[in-house]
């Protein structure tokens, strides 16, 4: 109880804001290359054997990688209940499409090689492509919408109301800026998947992965820079007006928020956060160089560096906002007004301190055991036990 009293509400909110970022980035670093490999499958693999090589580079680890997605969703539900309620309501159809893709993907993994029939396997190969392409694109589209503000407002009893018809909750997300951020997300994860394939595959699959991945790296850099310029001149930012408390009760309506200015003004207030976009751009360019050469391990590490920089730059730029409201800025959700209680955050932090190292150690052990390349001989000699 002494530790509970020593840790302020403000500090716990900051810690959980950081942990949420860690979980989302962890998901992108692990399941991201699974999605990237799926999106690359029709392009890097031309024969059934080549497709099985590509699939089996992620086959043993994709289920474990999705743990990060579950942890991220659980953290939002438990640590940021208003964010969970508002975002899942507004992005309901988009989340349904993403979850449908995530449901189709494991079915494709399990069923794909159950029959030695070209049409059967081709159908499930395209399901694996959709399971990688669709989430990678829509996650980026969601980020673009969040940075522009989402059209909702909160009633006096904090009930979220969205504007427009039900179908606008999906098609309304597909504006030009959000599609650009979707392309950045997709190209970033395709680059990551290609870096994974260069490490785990060989022969034609590896060569084609280098070619497509290097192009994706350039697209990711160009799209990221263009999105930054767009933010500077074409997207209004949000700011809390007047004095406010950082350890008060979680009620978004207690804050006054104004819309206007540029998100990039945050770099003048907190210059140190510039390290994030620099890491994102440098990591993608170094990944491009690595993919064009014969490097493998360093290329994957540089790809992870790019993802870390690009994703963290979004959170650092928007801080303390988590989900701004374009309809009524005063309903915007921030780090200071949309968390669980002080006690809840403290208890959850204790559980995280205990179980997160276990997850990390288990994950590291799995990757160590499964280290090495997937070869044509591995697939041929174990045709009945691999995907």
């Amino acid at each position: 109880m002494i530790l509970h009293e020593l840790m302020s509400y403000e500090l716990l909110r900051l810690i959980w804001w950081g942990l949420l970022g860690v979980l989302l980035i962890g998901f992108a670093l692990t399941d991201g290359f699974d999605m990237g490999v799926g999106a690359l499958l029709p392009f890097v693999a031309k024969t059934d054997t080549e497709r099985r090589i590509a699939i089996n580079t992620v086959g043993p680890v994709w289920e474990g990688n999705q743990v990060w997605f579950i942890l991220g969703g659980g953290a939002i539900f438990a640590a940021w209940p208003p964010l969970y309620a508002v975002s899942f309501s507004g992005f309901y159809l988009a989340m349904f499409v993403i979850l449908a893709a995530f449901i189709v993907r494991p079915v494709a993994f399990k069923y794909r090689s159950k029959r030695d029939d070209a049409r059967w396997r081709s159908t499930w190969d395209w399901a694996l492509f959709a399971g990688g392409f669709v989430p990678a694109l829509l996650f980026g589209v969601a980020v673009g919408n969040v940075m522009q503000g989402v059209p909702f407002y909160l009633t006096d009893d904090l009930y979220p109301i969205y504007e427009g018809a039900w179908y606008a909750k999906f098609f309304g997300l597909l504006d030009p800026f959000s599609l650009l951020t979707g392309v950045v997300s997709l190209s970033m994860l395709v680059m990551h998947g290609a870096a994974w394939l260069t490490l785990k595959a060989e022969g034609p699959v590896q060569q084609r992965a280098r070619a497509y991945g290097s192009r994706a790296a350039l697209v990711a850099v160009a799209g990221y820079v263009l999105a930054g310029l767009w933010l500077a001149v074409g997207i209004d930012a949000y700011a809390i007006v007047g004095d406010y408390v950082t350890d008060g009760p979680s009620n978004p309506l207690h804050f006054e928020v104004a819309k206007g200015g540029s998100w990039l003004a945050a770099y003048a207030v907190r210059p140190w956060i510039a390290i994030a976009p620099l890491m994102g751009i440098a990591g993608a360019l170094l990944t491009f160089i690595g993919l064009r050469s014969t490097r493998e391990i360093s290329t994957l590490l540089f790809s992870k560096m790019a993802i870390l920089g690009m994703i963290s730059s979004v959170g650092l730029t928007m801080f303390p906002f988590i989900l701004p409201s374009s309809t009524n800025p005063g309903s915007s959700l921030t780090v200071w007004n949309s968390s669980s209680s002080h006690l809840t955050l403290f208890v959850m932090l204790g559980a995280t301190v205990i179980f997160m190292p276990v997850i990390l150690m288990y994950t590291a052990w799995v990757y160590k055991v499964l280290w090495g390349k997937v070869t044509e001989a591995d697939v041929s000699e174990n045709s009945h036990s691999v995907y």
Side-chain angles (χ1 to χ4, degrees), residues 227-272:
L229 295 174
W230 200 329
L231 277 180
V233 299
I235 304 296
D236 287 333
Y238 295 78
I240 301 176
V241 178
D243 297 330
Y244 60 93
V245 294
T246 58
D247 58 354
S250 289
N251 187 336
L253 299 181
H254 288 176
F255 284 63
E256 183 180 353
V257 177
K259 182 178 180 181
S262 170
W263 282 119
L264 300 191
Y267 292 86
V269 179
R270 304 185 298 275
W272 61 271

mmCIF file of all heavy atoms in Angstrom, residues 227-272:
data_model
loop_
_atom_site.group_PDB
_atom_site.id
_atom_site.type_symbol
_atom_site.label_atom_id
_atom_site.label_comp_id
_atom_site.label_asym_id
_atom_site.label_seq_id
_atom_site.Cartn_x
_atom_site.Cartn_y
_atom_site.Cartn_z
ATOM 1 N N ALA A 227 3.068 12.454 -45.497
ATOM 2 C CA ALA A 227 2.077 12.573 -44.425
ATOM 3 C C ALA A 227 2.515 13.629 -43.412
ATOM 4 O O ALA A 227 1.682 14.392 -42.895
ATOM 5 C CB ALA A 227 1.883 11.228 -43.732
ATOM 6 N N GLY A 228 3.817 13.708 -43.127
ATOM 7 C CA GLY A 228 4.316 14.727 -42.221
ATOM 8 C C GLY A 228 4.115 16.128 -42.760
ATOM 9 O O GLY A 228 3.702 17.044 -42.026
ATOM 10 N N LEU A 229 4.378 16.309 -44.047
ATOM 11 C CA LEU A 229 4.154 17.617 -44.669
ATOM 12 C C LEU A 229 2.671 17.968 -44.672
ATOM 13 O O LEU A 229 2.290 19.130 -44.454
ATOM 14 C CB LEU A 229 4.702 17.607 -46.101
ATOM 15 C CG LEU A 229 6.225 17.444 -46.236
ATOM 16 C CD1 LEU A 229 6.615 17.306 -47.700
ATOM 17 C CD2 LEU A 229 6.954 18.625 -45.596
ATOM 18 N N TRP A 230 1.834 16.980 -44.922
ATOM 19 C CA TRP A 230 0.384 17.186 -44.910
ATOM 20 C C TRP A 230 -0.085 17.611 -43.519
ATOM 21 O O TRP A 230 -0.921 18.507 -43.365
ATOM 22 C CB TRP A 230 -0.315 15.897 -45.340
ATOM 23 C CG TRP A 230 -1.722 16.065 -45.822
ATOM 24 C CD1 TRP A 230 -2.626 17.004 -45.409
ATOM 25 C CD2 TRP A 230 -2.405 15.259 -46.794
ATOM 26 N NE1 TRP A 230 -3.834 16.821 -46.051
ATOM 27 C CE2 TRP A 230 -3.720 15.765 -46.913
ATOM 28 C CE3 TRP A 230 -2.031 14.153 -47.546
ATOM 29 C CZ2 TRP A 230 -4.659 15.192 -47.764
ATOM 30 C CZ3 TRP A 230 -2.955 13.579 -48.398
ATOM 31 C CH2 TRP A 230 -4.254 14.102 -48.519
ATOM 32 N N LEU A 231 0.476 16.963 -42.481
ATOM 33 C CA LEU A 231 0.143 17.348 -41.115
ATOM 34 C C LEU A 231 0.523 18.803 -40.841
ATOM 35 O O LEU A 231 -0.174 19.520 -40.122
ATOM 36 C CB LEU A 231 0.877 16.448 -40.114
ATOM 37 C CG LEU A 231 0.274 15.091 -39.767
ATOM 38 C CD1 LEU A 231 1.170 14.380 -38.775
ATOM 39 C CD2 LEU A 231 -1.118 15.254 -39.191
ATOM 40 N N ALA A 232 1.643 19.227 -41.420
ATOM 41 C CA ALA A 232 2.145 20.573 -41.142
ATOM 42 C C ALA A 232 1.250 21.654 -41.730
ATOM 43 O O ALA A 232 1.102 22.731 -41.142
ATOM 44 C CB ALA A 232 3.570 20.715 -41.678
ATOM 45 N N VAL A 233 0.648 21.388 -42.882
ATOM 46 C CA VAL A 233 -0.063 22.460 -43.585
ATOM 47 C C VAL A 233 -1.555 22.186 -43.803
ATOM 48 O O VAL A 233 -2.308 23.123 -44.086
ATOM 49 C CB VAL A 233 0.591 22.733 -44.961
ATOM 50 C CG1 VAL A 233 2.037 23.182 -44.779
ATOM 51 C CG2 VAL A 233 0.544 21.496 -45.859
ATOM 52 N N GLY A 234 -1.988 20.940 -43.647
ATOM 53 C CA GLY A 234 -3.362 20.633 -44.028
ATOM 54 C C GLY A 234 -4.229 19.986 -42.980
ATOM 55 O O GLY A 234 -5.428 19.777 -43.206
ATOM 56 N N ILE A 235 -3.678 19.655 -41.813
ATOM 57 C CA ILE A 235 -4.450 18.977 -40.770
ATOM 58 C C ILE A 235 -4.401 19.811 -39.492
ATOM 59 O O ILE A 235 -3.317 20.142 -38.998
ATOM 60 C CB ILE A 235 -3.888 17.569 -40.478
ATOM 61 C CG1 ILE A 235 -3.838 16.724 -41.755
ATOM 62 C CG2 ILE A 235 -4.727 16.878 -39.407
ATOM 63 C CD1 ILE A 235 -5.178 16.420 -42.361
ATOM 64 N N ASP A 236 -5.557 20.177 -38.981
ATOM 65 C CA ASP A 236 -5.614 20.949 -37.736
ATOM 66 C C ASP A 236 -5.313 20.065 -36.541
ATOM 67 O O ASP A 236 -5.764 18.917 -36.464
ATOM 68 C CB ASP A 236 -6.998 21.579 -37.557
ATOM 69 C CG ASP A 236 -7.230 22.747 -38.504
ATOM 70 O OD1 ASP A 236 -6.236 23.390 -38.902
ATOM 71 O OD2 ASP A 236 -8.400 23.009 -38.859
ATOM 72 N N ALA A 237 -4.555 20.640 -35.602
ATOM 73 C CA ALA A 237 -4.230 19.933 -34.372
ATOM 74 C C ALA A 237 -5.255 20.269 -33.288
ATOM 75 O O ALA A 237 -6.181 21.057 -33.505
ATOM 76 C CB ALA A 237 -2.827 20.310 -33.915
ATOM 77 N N TYR A 238 -5.072 19.680 -32.122
ATOM 78 C CA TYR A 238 -5.935 19.927 -30.965
ATOM 79 C C TYR A 238 -5.050 20.328 -29.788
ATOM 80 O O TYR A 238 -3.914 19.848 -29.665
ATOM 81 C CB TYR A 238 -6.752 18.679 -30.617
ATOM 82 C CG TYR A 238 -7.750 18.288 -31.686
ATOM 83 C CD1 TYR A 238 -7.347 17.621 -32.835
ATOM 84 C CD2 TYR A 238 -9.094 18.591 -31.545
ATOM 85 C CE1 TYR A 238 -8.254 17.272 -33.824
ATOM 86 C CE2 TYR A 238 -10.025 18.246 -32.514
ATOM 87 C CZ TYR A 238 -9.586 17.589 -33.653
ATOM 88 O OH TYR A 238 -10.495 17.247 -34.633
ATOM 89 N N ALA A 239 -5.561 21.181 -28.929
ATOM 90 C CA ALA A 239 -4.795 21.628 -27.769
ATOM 91 C C ALA A 239 -5.735 21.875 -26.604
ATOM 92 O O ALA A 239 -6.861 22.361 -26.781
ATOM 93 C CB ALA A 239 -4.023 22.905 -28.097
ATOM 94 N N ILE A 240 -5.271 21.538 -25.399
ATOM 95 C CA ILE A 240 -6.043 21.805 -24.183
ATOM 96 C C ILE A 240 -5.896 23.280 -23.840
ATOM 97 O O ILE A 240 -4.791 23.826 -23.826
ATOM 98 C CB ILE A 240 -5.552 20.928 -23.021
ATOM 99 C CG1 ILE A 240 -5.689 19.437 -23.392
ATOM 100 C CG2 ILE A 240 -6.340 21.225 -21.755
ATOM 101 C CD1 ILE A 240 -5.134 18.503 -22.336
ATOM 102 N N VAL A 241 -7.004 23.922 -23.568
ATOM 103 C CA VAL A 241 -7.020 25.361 -23.306
ATOM 104 C C VAL A 241 -7.038 25.614 -21.800
ATOM 105 O O VAL A 241 -7.792 24.967 -21.058
ATOM 106 C CB VAL A 241 -8.250 26.023 -23.961
ATOM 107 C CG1 VAL A 241 -8.276 27.512 -23.649
ATOM 108 C CG2 VAL A 241 -8.230 25.786 -25.462
ATOM 109 N N GLY A 242 -6.215 26.561 -21.354
ATOM 110 C CA GLY A 242 -6.233 26.966 -19.958
ATOM 111 C C GLY A 242 -5.575 25.964 -19.031
ATOM 112 O O GLY A 242 -4.906 25.018 -19.459
ATOM 113 N N ASP A 243 -5.776 26.184 -17.742
ATOM 114 C CA ASP A 243 -5.195 25.302 -16.732
ATOM 115 C C ASP A 243 -5.991 24.001 -16.633
ATOM 116 O O ASP A 243 -7.212 23.988 -16.791
ATOM 117 C CB ASP A 243 -5.191 25.995 -15.369
ATOM 118 C CG ASP A 243 -4.320 27.250 -15.354
ATOM 119 O OD1 ASP A 243 -3.337 27.269 -16.120
ATOM 120 O OD2 ASP A 243 -4.645 28.189 -14.606
ATOM 121 N N TYR A 244 -5.291 22.922 -16.358
ATOM 122 C CA TYR A 244 -5.964 21.631 -16.187
ATOM 123 C C TYR A 244 -5.125 20.777 -15.255
ATOM 124 O O TYR A 244 -3.923 21.005 -15.068
ATOM 125 C CB TYR A 244 -6.151 20.916 -17.533
ATOM 126 C CG TYR A 244 -4.864 20.623 -18.272
ATOM 127 C CD1 TYR A 244 -4.216 19.396 -18.119
ATOM 128 C CD2 TYR A 244 -4.289 21.563 -19.123
ATOM 129 C CE1 TYR A 244 -3.037 19.120 -18.791
ATOM 130 C CE2 TYR A 244 -3.109 21.295 -19.804
ATOM 131 C CZ TYR A 244 -2.488 20.078 -19.632
ATOM 132 O OH TYR A 244 -1.316 19.817 -20.295
ATOM 133 N N VAL A 245 -5.753 19.798 -14.663
ATOM 134 C CA VAL A 245 -5.052 18.913 -13.732
ATOM 135 C C VAL A 245 -4.777 17.590 -14.421
ATOM 136 O O VAL A 245 -5.553 17.124 -15.255
ATOM 137 C CB VAL A 245 -5.877 18.684 -12.447
ATOM 138 C CG1 VAL A 245 -6.008 19.975 -11.667
ATOM 139 C CG2 VAL A 245 -7.244 18.105 -12.776
ATOM 140 N N THR A 246 -3.652 16.993 -14.054
ATOM 141 C CA THR A 246 -3.245 15.730 -14.672
ATOM 142 C C THR A 246 -3.546 14.527 -13.790
ATOM 143 O O THR A 246 -3.323 13.396 -14.202
ATOM 144 C CB THR A 246 -1.742 15.755 -14.984
ATOM 145 O OG1 THR A 246 -1.023 16.001 -13.757
ATOM 146 C CG2 THR A 246 -1.415 16.847 -15.983
ATOM 147 N N ASP A 247 -4.016 14.788 -12.580
ATOM 148 C CA ASP A 247 -4.323 13.677 -11.670
ATOM 149 C C ASP A 247 -5.760 13.748 -11.160
ATOM 150 O O ASP A 247 -6.083 13.228 -10.103
ATOM 151 C CB ASP A 247 -3.354 13.667 -10.490
ATOM 152 C CG ASP A 247 -3.373 14.972 -9.696
ATOM 153 O OD1 ASP A 247 -4.063 15.915 -10.136
ATOM 154 O OD2 ASP A 247 -2.707 15.040 -8.652
ATOM 155 N N GLY A 248 -6.622 14.406 -11.941
ATOM 156 C CA GLY A 248 -8.022 14.521 -11.554
ATOM 157 C C GLY A 248 -8.848 13.350 -12.040
ATOM 158 O O GLY A 248 -8.326 12.395 -12.627
ATOM 159 N N PRO A 249 -10.150 13.377 -11.819
ATOM 160 C CA PRO A 249 -11.035 12.281 -12.247
ATOM 161 C C PRO A 249 -11.102 12.165 -13.758
ATOM 162 O O PRO A 249 -10.880 13.133 -14.484
ATOM 163 C CB PRO A 249 -12.392 12.682 -11.656
ATOM 164 C CG PRO A 249 -12.324 14.167 -11.511
ATOM 165 C CD PRO A 249 -10.903 14.474 -11.163
ATOM 166 N N SER A 250 -11.401 10.968 -14.224
ATOM 167 C CA SER A 250 -11.473 10.718 -15.667
ATOM 168 C C SER A 250 -12.834 11.139 -16.200
ATOM 169 O O SER A 250 -13.787 10.370 -16.200
ATOM 170 C CB SER A 250 -11.224 9.231 -15.970
ATOM 171 O OG SER A 250 -9.878 8.906 -15.748
ATOM 172 N N ASN A 251 -12.888 12.369 -16.653
ATOM 173 C CA ASN A 251 -14.108 12.907 -17.248
ATOM 174 C C ASN A 251 -13.701 13.865 -18.369
ATOM 175 O O ASN A 251 -13.264 14.983 -18.097
ATOM 176 C CB ASN A 251 -14.960 13.633 -16.219
ATOM 177 C CG ASN A 251 -16.319 14.045 -16.771
ATOM 178 O OD1 ASN A 251 -16.491 14.194 -17.985
ATOM 179 N ND2 ASN A 251 -17.281 14.210 -15.887
ATOM 180 N N PRO A 252 -13.808 13.434 -19.638
ATOM 181 C CA PRO A 252 -13.383 14.284 -20.755
ATOM 182 C C PRO A 252 -14.078 15.637 -20.794
ATOM 183 O O PRO A 252 -13.509 16.608 -21.301
ATOM 184 C CB PRO A 252 -13.744 13.441 -21.984
ATOM 185 C CG PRO A 252 -13.762 12.042 -21.484
ATOM 186 C CD PRO A 252 -14.255 12.120 -20.075
ATOM 187 N N LEU A 253 -15.289 15.727 -20.259
ATOM 188 C CA LEU A 253 -16.053 16.968 -20.351
ATOM 189 C C LEU A 253 -15.537 18.035 -19.390
ATOM 190 O O LEU A 253 -16.012 19.168 -19.412
ATOM 191 C CB LEU A 253 -17.532 16.689 -20.084
ATOM 192 C CG LEU A 253 -18.195 15.712 -21.071
ATOM 193 C CD1 LEU A 253 -19.657 15.542 -20.731
ATOM 194 C CD2 LEU A 253 -18.032 16.186 -22.510
ATOM 195 N N HIS A 254 -14.572 17.689 -18.537
ATOM 196 C CA HIS A 254 -13.988 18.657 -17.617
ATOM 197 C C HIS A 254 -12.856 19.453 -18.267
ATOM 198 O O HIS A 254 -12.271 20.312 -17.614
ATOM 199 C CB HIS A 254 -13.458 17.947 -16.364
ATOM 200 C CG HIS A 254 -14.541 17.466 -15.462
ATOM 201 N ND1 HIS A 254 -14.300 16.721 -14.320
ATOM 202 C CD2 HIS A 254 -15.890 17.607 -15.517
ATOM 203 C CE1 HIS A 254 -15.443 16.430 -13.725
ATOM 204 N NE2 HIS A 254 -16.421 16.954 -14.434
ATOM 205 N N PHE A 255 -12.527 19.140 -19.519
ATOM 206 C CA PHE A 255 -11.434 19.810 -20.215
ATOM 207 C C PHE A 255 -11.996 20.692 -21.321
ATOM 208 O O PHE A 255 -12.960 20.330 -21.989
ATOM 209 C CB PHE A 255 -10.468 18.793 -20.830
ATOM 210 C CG PHE A 255 -9.553 18.134 -19.851
ATOM 211 C CD1 PHE A 255 -10.045 17.343 -18.835
ATOM 212 C CD2 PHE A 255 -8.183 18.288 -19.957
ATOM 213 C CE1 PHE A 255 -9.202 16.716 -17.930
ATOM 214 C CE2 PHE A 255 -7.334 17.666 -19.065
ATOM 215 C CZ PHE A 255 -7.841 16.882 -18.044
ATOM 216 N N GLU A 256 -11.344 21.821 -21.538
ATOM 217 C CA GLU A 256 -11.678 22.680 -22.668
ATOM 218 C C GLU A 256 -10.609 22.490 -23.730
ATOM 219 O O GLU A 256 -9.415 22.665 -23.467
ATOM 220 C CB GLU A 256 -11.746 24.147 -22.249
ATOM 221 C CG GLU A 256 -12.159 25.075 -23.393
ATOM 222 C CD GLU A 256 -12.227 26.529 -22.966
ATOM 223 O OE1 GLU A 256 -12.091 26.800 -21.755
ATOM 224 O OE2 GLU A 256 -12.394 27.388 -23.865
ATOM 225 N N VAL A 257 -11.031 22.121 -24.918
ATOM 226 C CA VAL A 257 -10.097 21.818 -26.007
ATOM 227 C C VAL A 257 -10.408 22.692 -27.210
ATOM 228 O O VAL A 257 -11.582 22.888 -27.559
ATOM 229 C CB VAL A 257 -10.187 20.321 -26.404
ATOM 230 C CG1 VAL A 257 -9.275 20.015 -27.588
ATOM 231 C CG2 VAL A 257 -9.820 19.442 -25.214
ATOM 232 N N ALA A 258 -9.361 23.200 -27.838
ATOM 233 C CA ALA A 258 -9.508 24.010 -29.049
ATOM 234 C C ALA A 258 -8.865 23.301 -30.225
ATOM 235 O O ALA A 258 -7.874 22.578 -30.074
ATOM 236 C CB ALA A 258 -8.861 25.375 -28.856
ATOM 237 N N LYS A 259 -9.440 23.501 -31.392
ATOM 238 C CA LYS A 259 -8.913 22.909 -32.622
ATOM 239 C C LYS A 259 -8.257 23.998 -33.455
ATOM 240 O O LYS A 259 -8.814 25.067 -33.658
ATOM 241 C CB LYS A 259 -10.042 22.239 -33.403
ATOM 242 C CG LYS A 259 -9.594 21.537 -34.680
ATOM 243 C CD LYS A 259 -10.777 20.859 -35.362
ATOM 244 C CE LYS A 259 -10.329 20.148 -36.641
ATOM 245 N NZ LYS A 259 -11.475 19.503 -37.333
ATOM 246 N N GLY A 260 -7.053 23.725 -33.944
ATOM 247 C CA GLY A 260 -6.343 24.699 -34.745
ATOM 248 C C GLY A 260 -4.841 24.559 -34.564
ATOM 249 O O GLY A 260 -4.359 23.896 -33.642
ATOM 250 N N GLY A 261 -4.079 25.156 -35.448
ATOM 251 C CA GLY A 261 -2.636 25.031 -35.385
ATOM 252 C C GLY A 261 -2.151 23.755 -36.032
ATOM 253 O O GLY A 261 -2.891 23.077 -36.760
ATOM 254 N N SER A 262 -0.924 23.388 -35.748
ATOM 255 C CA SER A 262 -0.309 22.218 -36.371
ATOM 256 C C SER A 262 0.155 21.231 -35.311
ATOM 257 O O SER A 262 0.653 21.622 -34.246
ATOM 258 C CB SER A 262 0.902 22.644 -37.217
ATOM 259 O OG SER A 262 1.642 21.514 -37.653
ATOM 260 N N TRP A 263 -0.007 19.939 -35.610
ATOM 261 C CA TRP A 263 0.517 18.903 -34.723
ATOM 262 C C TRP A 263 2.028 19.029 -34.577
ATOM 263 O O TRP A 263 2.596 18.660 -33.534
ATOM 264 C CB TRP A 263 0.187 17.517 -35.248
ATOM 265 C CG TRP A 263 -1.209 17.030 -35.030
ATOM 266 C CD1 TRP A 263 -2.122 16.691 -35.974
ATOM 267 C CD2 TRP A 263 -1.867 16.800 -33.769
ATOM 268 N NE1 TRP A 263 -3.300 16.269 -35.407
ATOM 269 C CE2 TRP A 263 -3.170 16.323 -34.050
ATOM 270 C CE3 TRP A 263 -1.481 16.955 -32.443
ATOM 271 C CZ2 TRP A 263 -4.086 15.997 -33.053
ATOM 272 C CZ3 TRP A 263 -2.390 16.639 -31.437
ATOM 273 C CH2 TRP A 263 -3.670 16.166 -31.740
ATOM 274 N N LEU A 264 2.703 19.522 -35.604
ATOM 275 C CA LEU A 264 4.159 19.585 -35.566
ATOM 276 C C LEU A 264 4.674 20.643 -34.605
ATOM 277 O O LEU A 264 5.877 20.720 -34.349
ATOM 278 C CB LEU A 264 4.711 19.841 -36.973
ATOM 279 C CG LEU A 264 4.359 18.776 -38.028
ATOM 280 C CD1 LEU A 264 5.179 18.982 -39.292
ATOM 281 C CD2 LEU A 264 4.580 17.363 -37.491
ATOM 282 N N ALA A 265 3.778 21.469 -34.053
ATOM 283 C CA ALA A 265 4.195 22.417 -33.024
ATOM 284 C C ALA A 265 4.734 21.689 -31.795
ATOM 285 O O ALA A 265 5.491 22.268 -30.999
ATOM 286 C CB ALA A 265 3.028 23.316 -32.634
ATOM 287 N N ALA A 266 4.360 20.424 -31.639
ATOM 288 C CA ALA A 266 4.854 19.639 -30.506
ATOM 289 C C ALA A 266 6.373 19.517 -30.528
ATOM 290 O O ALA A 266 7.013 19.405 -29.473
ATOM 291 C CB ALA A 266 4.222 18.243 -30.524
ATOM 292 N N TYR A 267 6.974 19.584 -31.715
ATOM 293 C CA TYR A 267 8.430 19.437 -31.821
ATOM 294 C C TYR A 267 9.163 20.687 -31.356
ATOM 295 O O TYR A 267 10.352 20.619 -31.032
ATOM 296 C CB TYR A 267 8.806 19.080 -33.253
ATOM 297 C CG TYR A 267 8.334 17.696 -33.639
ATOM 298 C CD1 TYR A 267 7.048 17.493 -34.140
ATOM 299 C CD2 TYR A 267 9.145 16.592 -33.459
ATOM 300 C CE1 TYR A 267 6.587 16.221 -34.454
ATOM 301 C CE2 TYR A 267 8.701 15.315 -33.776
ATOM 302 C CZ TYR A 267 7.422 15.137 -34.272
ATOM 303 O OH TYR A 267 6.968 13.869 -34.573
ATOM 304 N N ALA A 268 8.474 21.816 -31.322
ATOM 305 C CA ALA A 268 9.070 23.025 -30.757
ATOM 306 C C ALA A 268 9.007 22.995 -29.229
ATOM 307 O O ALA A 268 9.899 23.489 -28.545
ATOM 308 C CB ALA A 268 8.363 24.264 -31.289
ATOM 309 N N VAL A 269 7.935 22.398 -28.691
ATOM 310 C CA VAL A 269 7.764 22.295 -27.245
ATOM 311 C C VAL A 269 8.633 21.185 -26.669
ATOM 312 O O VAL A 269 9.258 21.337 -25.603
ATOM 313 C CB VAL A 269 6.283 22.045 -26.899
ATOM 314 C CG1 VAL A 269 6.090 21.904 -25.399
ATOM 315 C CG2 VAL A 269 5.411 23.157 -27.456
ATOM 316 N N ARG A 270 8.703 20.055 -27.367
ATOM 317 C CA ARG A 270 9.481 18.892 -26.911
ATOM 318 C C ARG A 270 10.417 18.452 -28.030
ATOM 319 O O ARG A 270 10.146 17.442 -28.705
ATOM 320 C CB ARG A 270 8.543 17.741 -26.519
ATOM 321 C CG ARG A 270 7.502 18.088 -25.475
ATOM 322 C CD ARG A 270 6.680 16.870 -25.037
ATOM 323 N NE ARG A 270 5.931 16.275 -26.128
ATOM 324 C CZ ARG A 270 4.729 16.673 -26.533
ATOM 325 N NH1 ARG A 270 4.150 17.707 -25.938
ATOM 326 N NH2 ARG A 270 4.112 16.075 -27.527
ATOM 327 N N PRO A 271 11.522 19.165 -28.242
ATOM 328 C CA PRO A 271 12.408 18.873 -29.392
ATOM 329 C C PRO A 271 12.950 17.447 -29.405
ATOM 330 O O PRO A 271 13.240 16.903 -30.477
ATOM 331 C CB PRO A 271 13.539 19.892 -29.226
ATOM 332 C CG PRO A 271 12.980 20.960 -28.364
ATOM 333 C CD PRO A 271 12.006 20.300 -27.451
ATOM 334 N N TRP A 272 13.072 16.840 -28.228
ATOM 335 C CA TRP A 272 13.660 15.511 -28.145
ATOM 336 C C TRP A 272 12.838 14.448 -28.870
ATOM 337 O O TRP A 272 13.372 13.396 -29.254
ATOM 338 C CB TRP A 272 13.846 15.099 -26.684
ATOM 339 C CG TRP A 272 12.573 15.040 -25.899
ATOM 340 C CD1 TRP A 272 11.993 16.052 -25.203
ATOM 341 C CD2 TRP A 272 11.705 13.906 -25.746
ATOM 342 N NE1 TRP A 272 10.821 15.641 -24.617
ATOM 343 C CE2 TRP A 272 10.615 14.324 -24.924
ATOM 344 C CE3 TRP A 272 11.742 12.595 -26.203
ATOM 345 C CZ2 TRP A 272 9.580 13.464 -24.566
ATOM 346 C CZ3 TRP A 272 10.705 11.739 -25.846
ATOM 347 C CH2 TRP A 272 9.648 12.169 -25.043
#
